[in-house]
Every structure is written in C-alpha cells, then in structure tokens.
Amino acid sequence: RFSIDAQPEVIQPRARIAEFFLQDDSGGLAVLWRGADAGALPAVGSRVEVIGPVRQANGLLQITPSAGEVAHAVRLLESEVPLPEPVVLDWDWLGDPIRMESLEGRLVRVPGVTLDISTPLFPDRGTSLTLRSVLTGDSLTLRVDGSSSASRVDLAGQPKPEGAFSVTGVWTQNDSSKPHTQGYQILPTRYADLVLDGRSPSAEWQGFLENLTRRGDALTNTFPDQVLRPGESFRILADFSDDQGPIAPGAAVSGPEGTQVIWSEGSVTPEGIHHRGVEVVFTASEVHAGGVHRLMLSAVGVEAERRLSWTVSVPTVEERQIFMTEFLANPTAATGGPSFNPLHRLDWPPELEEALAGRLTAWDEFVELVNVGLAPVSLAGWTVSDATRARAWVDPDCPAAMVPAGEALVLYGGPADSHPPRLPCPALPAILQGGAPAGSDGLGLNNTSDRIELRNGAGHLIERVVYASRDLASAASVARWPLPAGEWSVHPATSDGATTTAGLDVHGVVWSETLQPKTLRLQARRDGGRLRLEWSALTESSYTVWRSVDSGRTWAPLVDDLDHAFVDLDEPGSPLWFRVTSP
C-alpha cells in the first residue's frame, strides 16, 4: 500500500535480493529489492512506501529499489493491515491478455484444480507445475519458489494436495516472447494457501462432430475446443458418477441460443456408484459466425459441484474461404527419389547429402492454404499448430499475409534465412510470434499421427485436420480433393510423376485457373411425364441440383453428389426454377 508517514522506519536489507508484492483494491505490483534477502522482507500486511525505478522483466512490471542507492528506499509505515480479498479466477479470462494484465501482481484465488501427484512432494524452488481445472479442463502454471531451507515460500518439500483444491497466490508472468501476452502463472506464497475442496463427481465425456461440410477433423474426439461451420453440429455425451450419493443437474448451464441439454434419469450400479448422463447438442448457423461460444454444464454431488466446458468457434464467411488443401509430414532426404525437394529449391550447397540429409525431413514439411473465395483474405497473425504447440506464424507486416482470391500460401519448415522455395505462390518459413525462429524441427509434424490446427490472429480455431499413420505415404503428401467437400487422401501422381504439388492443385494446375468460376449450360426438356435436366460436363466433378419456388430468391438442394451431367425428375406441377452447381 502506498502512503506517507511523518517518521517512517527504514527497513535495512541484509543481503542479495528480496521480492514481495504491493496490494490494494485496485491491483498489485511486484517489488524486486536488490541487495536484500528474504530476512529483510516486510511482514505480510505491512503498509510500506517504496521508492525505486520501474522496470519490466519478461512481461512482469516491477519496482526495483537497490539497497546501495541513497535515493531508493523501502519504508515501513504500519503493521497488521488486512490484505484485499483475492480475485477469483474465471477460466474464460485466460484467452484475454487485457484481463490477464489487469490481474498481474495481485492476489488471485483459483478454485477446483488438481496436480499430478505421481511425485508426492513439491519440488525445490524454481520449478513450474501444471494445475488443471476439474471444471473446464483448462491448465495453468503454478510456480514453486523458495526452498525447504528458505523463508520466502514454504511449498518446497511439502506434500501435494490429493484431489481437488483451491490455491491463492500472486498472479505473475514469465514470457520472454513479445508482445508478452502469454506465460501467466500463479505464485503461492505459503503452503496454507492450498485448501482442499470437497470431492466432486467424476466425469467422462466424448464429443461427436456431425453433418460436416468440411472433412478432416476427428469425428469422435475429446478436444476442449471445436470449430463448426453453419449447418454442422457438435454433440456431447457425458456421464457423471459419484460413490457418495445421488447426482443432480447443476445450475451452471450455458450455451448459444438453440443449444439442447437433455439429462437422463439417475441410476445406481450394484456396487453403489451413482450415475447421471447428459447429452448436449449445438448446431452452428450464420447467426453464430465470427464468435467463440462456450458450452458449459455442471453436476452437483453430495460434497461439491463438477463442471465441464468447451469452446466452439464459428468462422466468419471470409475466414471460411481459407482451406487447408495439402500437407507434407514426412519429406524424404533421399536425393534420387521422385518426391525429393518438393519446394523446388535451387541453392543447395555442394555438400548437400553430408550436411543437410538429416535436416530436410523437417525443412521440407509444408502446409498449403488456399483462398477459394472471390475476395482477398488477410491471414495477419494466423498460426499453424501441431498437437504440441504453435509452429508457424504469419507476420502481419508481410505482404504475403494478404491472400488474393483463388491463390495459395505455403507455410514450410524452413530455414528462414536461406534455400528459398521456387513455387507459383508465396511461401513463408516457420517463425513464431514476434519473428523468433521456430527451431530446427520446423513445423514438427509427426510421421505417425498428429493434428494440424489453423487459427486466426485472435487464436480462434478455423480448421483442424487429424491424421494417423495409415493416412500417410512414404513418398507423397496428403491432399484434399475436390474442393470444398472432398476427402483427404494420399496425393495421386501427376502426369509428370510428382506426388507433392505445393502451390498447385493435385493435377499440377495453378489454383487461380482451377478456381476460376465456370458457367454450366443448363437445358431442360420433357420426356413423357418426366423432366430431364442436362448441362455441360466438367472433368472429374460432381454436381448438385437446386430448385426454387419463389423466382430464385431462396434455393433448396434437390439432388446432391451426382457424378453425371443430367437428372430425370417427375413433371413439376407448378413453375419451378432450377440451377446446378459443382465444386
């Protein structure tokens, strides 16, 4: 707390560095007192005056007085002042850097979390552990500072809580990457701030993606975040169980308008385990486009409540123009193979096989993105991730961030400073947010199974492709064809034998030509009591016939996925309008 007193007591530091945090009702601020140790720390609840420069270290704002500076000071003004009440963390805040910054340095309480207790004791100072919410499944870093022989923090060497607990500590940040929007963590200052919760019901669930118009995601999965396009549905089946007694539906239920939540009747097994099932269904529409929607439900047991939550993003019309169309997860380093050098680089050094043979399998990995729409789309700040972390970031200042209609952008493993690809479209090497190199493993796509996630500049999921080892080939990429609803499969060989076509469609044709709109000539003729519609055929395409009863103001599909250029219909009894479309 900040104040001035007529005759304050100046605290004399004894050694190295001491750290504490100022608190008031508006927020908190770190103090890193140079030339002091933990023995010089003011007691908890002391009202102090601090004079020193303000600095920032890895995103954490600090006042940094030095014991050797005459103008700097830490003065005790008053003792035993009650601390402000801690802020209770809402897990939805984790994706909001502005909200995270407002918490920095202040007391925060995080309820309903668990720790891995395979090692039962807290480790020594300087260790980060993972807290996981029993309500949402989200994770957060708990920082262990101090040691069993130091007085600053007394966690080290203490037993970890078994089961769900609440933790109160100071909200801090340790993020070496700019613009310092990650790396948030909670720093407990005493073991007594870890309090066991009542035991909540156990929960198991599975998610099911239905009516997908864009294939590639895992139809059955347990991902906490999902992406839907209008008309697609996410269905959840969850089961809560408790050996302490009956389970009741909780009041914490939320979801976008139209979300269905259906609870089953409770049941008891012969072993006395109580169960309660629930089904949740959310179907996206254009109303939801551009938003990230949270689905949440809870079940109440005898002692505590258990919550589950998911996020579902629905991309905008513009974002839905961008498709992942091809990826290469296992490039070959064998120079004699037909799939060697898929990015058509020219400036390989003479010592290629000796110096780079082991690196090509990472550098030549790529993910192809195509704008299938009729307008340019900015990919500024978009990322490509695998199951581990973000692997590639599109620099907003890069001209290639704007992808014209009918054009492609290729993101590849690297390196960032040499061996540029020669492709018919822009290509960007894998860098991380802020421009840092992605590392020697580039995109890091596994050769057995992995997932590729495309996210916009706000971190919202746009598309996810999940693949297994059976989906890959030893000398080919994986491609989606035909667009927009085609399946992913091993890339077929083109007429010149290529099994990867970065920047081109699967036939080796530039995307701008492939995606150029074509007009189908539609003719109608009567044949007895039936109506035959015929149109000009396109090579290797399928067709959908639409009809309208109101002069073409609204259309409904009549026949889908035709592989021939005609259809016979019963003679309509009233005027109708028809059209035919092809991917």
Side-chain angles (χ1 to χ4, degrees):
R1 292 177 177 255
F2 302 89
S3 183
I4 298 294
D5 195 288
Q7 294 180 329
E9 174 189 351
V10 178
I11 303 174
Q12 297 296 330
R14 294 190 306 213
R16 304 181 304 276
I17 293 176
E19 183 180 28
F20 59 97
F21 295 84
L22 302 174
Q23 301 289 313
D24 67 14
D25 291 330
S26 66
L29 185 61
V31 177
L32 192 68
W33 192 5
R34 300 179 185 278
D37 67 4
L41 285 174
V44 174
S46 299
R47 189 161 62 92
V48 298
E49 178 188 38
V50 179
I51 301 174
V54 175
R55 295 172 181 164
Q56 176 258 105
N58 289 342
L60 181 64
L61 198 64
Q62 303 170 335
I63 303 178
T64 57
S66 294
E69 294 287 341
V70 176
H72 298 182
V74 176
R75 298 190 176 100
L76 177 64
L77 305 178
E78 187 179 354
S79 300
E80 298 183 0
V81 179
L83 290 173
E85 284 296 313
V87 177
V88 179
L89 179 74
D90 185 327
W91 290 91
D92 285 344
W93 297 345
L94 292 184
D96 182 353
I98 295 176
R99 186 61 167 154
M100 293 290 91
E101 287 296 299
S102 71
L103 295 180
E104 191 177 286
R106 74 183 305 173
L107 280 176
V108 171
R109 185 170 68 86
V110 184
V113 291
T114 59
L115 277 171
D116 178 4
I117 59 172
S118 56
T119 53
L121 301 181
F122 279 104
D124 212 338
R125 69 173 299 169
T127 306
S128 296
L129 303 178
T130 299
L131 294 173
R132 191 164 299 278
S133 170
V134 299
L135 304 180
T136 68
D138 293 318
S139 61
L140 173 66
T141 297
L142 180 147
R143 182 68 176 176
V144 178
D145 222 339
S147 68
S148 55
S149 60
S151 59
R152 183 155 64 133
V153 177
D154 65 349
L155 260 67
Q158 303 269 24
K160 295 177 183 176
E162 296 187 25
F165 64 97
S166 298
V167 56
T168 300
V170 180
W171 194 257
T172 67
Q173 186 179 25
N174 183 21
D175 180 17
S176 59
S177 65
K178 297 179 180 179
H180 304 301
T181 57
Q182 304 176 55
Y184 298 103
Q185 55 190 14
I186 189 165
L187 175 66
T189 56
R190 55 181 184 168
Y191 186 67
D193 285 336
L194 282 63
V195 180
L196 285 172
D197 297 338
R199 184 154 60 87
S200 59
S202 300
E204 295 182 351
W205 68 274
Q206 274 192 314
F208 304 88
L209 294 170
E210 300 173 340
N211 304 318
L212 292 191
T213 59
R214 188 180 304 194
R215 296 171 173 86
D217 208 343
L219 297 181
T220 301
N221 66 64
T222 54
F223 300 137
D225 55 344
Q226 307 286 337
V227 57
L228 297 178
R229 285 148 287 272
E232 299 178 342
S233 299
F234 178 47
R235 182 167 61 94
I236 303 159
L237 293 179
D239 178 73
F240 295 92
S241 60
D242 199 336
D243 60 2
Q244 302 173 99
I247 301 168
V253 178
S254 65
E257 183 177 352
T259 302
Q260 302 175 17
V261 180
I262 305 172
W263 286 90
S264 68
E265 296 294 328
S267 62
V268 185
T269 68
E271 296 77 21
I273 308 297
H274 292 257
H275 287 268
R276 194 74 181 260
V278 61
E279 180 180 26
V280 181
V281 180
F282 168 53
T283 299
S285 70
E286 289 291 355
V287 173
H288 304 114
V292 176
H293 310 277
R294 182 172 286 272
L295 308 179
M296 184 173 67
L297 58 87
S298 66
V300 179
V302 173
E303 289 189 349
E305 182 183 43
R306 178 68 185 269
R307 297 186 185 184
L308 297 175
S309 70
W310 305 262
T311 57
V312 181
S313 63
V314 182
T316 64
V317 173
E318 180 184 56
E319 291 168 336
R320 297 199 300 269
Q321 292 178 201
I322 301 298
F323 278 70
M324 279 195 278
T325 49
E326 184 178 353
F327 66 89
L328 180 62
N330 56 343
T332 179
T335 57
S339 60
F340 175 73
N341 195 13
L343 303 179
H344 309 292
R345 311 177 201 245
L346 281 180
D347 59 345
W348 297 112
E351 64 276 16
L352 168 69
E353 291 189 50
E354 180 180 348
L356 300 178
R359 307 294 292 278
L360 299 180
T361 55
W363 286 351
D364 277 356
E365 289 183 352
F366 70 83
V367 174
E368 179 187 70
L369 308 177
V370 174
N371 179 0
V372 305
L374 302 178
V377 177
S378 173
L379 304 189
W382 286 37
T383 59
V384 168
S385 305
D386 65 355
T388 304
R389 60 176 175 86
R391 296 288 186 173
W393 171 74
V394 180
D395 187 343
D397 296 328
C398 175
M402 182 63 71
V403 182
E407 299 289 349
L409 174 66
V410 171
L411 302 176
Y412 66 99
D417 55 355
S418 64
H419 316 306
R422 294 176 62 250
L423 300 176
C425 70
L428 300 177
I431 59 173
L432 302 180
Q433 186 171 359
S440 60
D441 58 348
L443 296 181
L445 303 179
N446 289 338
N447 295 346
T448 52
S449 62
D450 209 337
R451 63 178 186 263
I452 307 172
E453 295 180 339
L454 178 65
R455 296 179 182 271
N456 65 14
H460 303 157
L461 192 60
I462 302 299
E463 184 174 1
R464 178 166 50 216
V465 175
V466 179
Y467 65 88
S469 57
R470 63 178 178 275
D471 302 317
L472 304 179
S474 59
S477 64
V478 180
R480 184 208 308 268
W481 188 263
L483 296 181
E487 297 282 358
W488 287 92
S489 59
V490 172
H491 196 300
T494 63
S495 58
D496 60 0
T499 53
T500 63
T501 52
L504 304 170
D505 74 7
V506 295
H507 305 294
V509 178
V510 293
W511 281 104
S512 56
E513 181 178 335
T514 298
L515 296 174
Q516 183 178 0
K518 299 177 176 64
T519 301
L520 302 177
R521 179 183 293 274
L522 177 63
Q523 295 179 326
R525 61 184 176 85
R526 288 187 174 87
D527 185 5
R530 297 175 67 79
L531 181 70
R532 168 162 284 207
L533 301 178
E534 297 177 329
W535 53 90
S536 51
L538 299 175
T539 304
E540 295 187 18
S541 192
S542 60
Y543 309 94
T544 299
V545 180
W546 306 73
R547 73 172 180 177
S548 172
V549 296
D550 53 4
S551 303
R553 288 191 294 271
T554 58
W555 294 92
L558 183 62
V559 184
D560 193 15
D561 202 27
L562 287 172
D563 59 2
H564 49 266
F566 68 89
V567 66
D568 292 321
L569 306 171
D570 291 333
E571 180 71 45
S574 59
L576 291 174
W577 286 259
F578 295 96
R579 70 171 180 168
V580 176
T581 60
S582 172

